Amino acid sequence: IHESSDLNVSIYDIYGRLCDEVYTGEIQPGLNKLNWNASYLSDGIYFAVLSMNGKKHTIKLIKN
């Protein structure tokens, strides 16, 4: 991250249902790390959606 930004990280299941809001808030420049405990979720495929500065990036997650 090169400048302070508002970030939202959300987790969705394969059906597009929101499972968790991991983070919503401002992040500072530099290397950032988020920890997320998915132990309460069933095994399967999930998607992490990162929204920052009006752009979205989706990452596929597999829990088993």
Side-chain angles (χ1 to χ4, degrees), residues 41-55:
L41 292 174
S42 302
D43 290 353
I45 297 173
Y46 296 89
F47 298 93
V49 179
L50 290 74
S51 302
M52 185 172 67
N53 297 334
K55 296 182 181 181

Side-chain angles (χ1 to χ4, degrees), residues 13-54:
D13 66 12
I14 194 75
Y15 302 107
R17 296 179 295 210
L18 179 65
C19 297
D20 199 358
E21 287 279 343
V22 177
Y23 184 82
T24 299
E26 186 176 349
I27 57 171
Q28 299 302 316
L31 214 48
N32 292 275
K33 179 179 178 179
L34 289 174
N35 291 315
W36 174 59
N37 183 347
S39 62
Y40 67 95
L41 292 174
S42 302
D43 290 353
I45 297 173
Y46 296 89
F47 298 93
V49 179
L50 290 74
S51 302
M52 185 172 67
N53 297 334

Side-chain angles (χ1 to χ4, degrees), residues 1-15:
I1 306 297
H2 298 292
E3 59 188 42
S4 295
S5 301
D6 288 327
L7 175 68
N8 180 283
V9 180
S10 302
I11 307 296
Y12 294 87
D13 66 12
I14 194 75
Y15 302 107

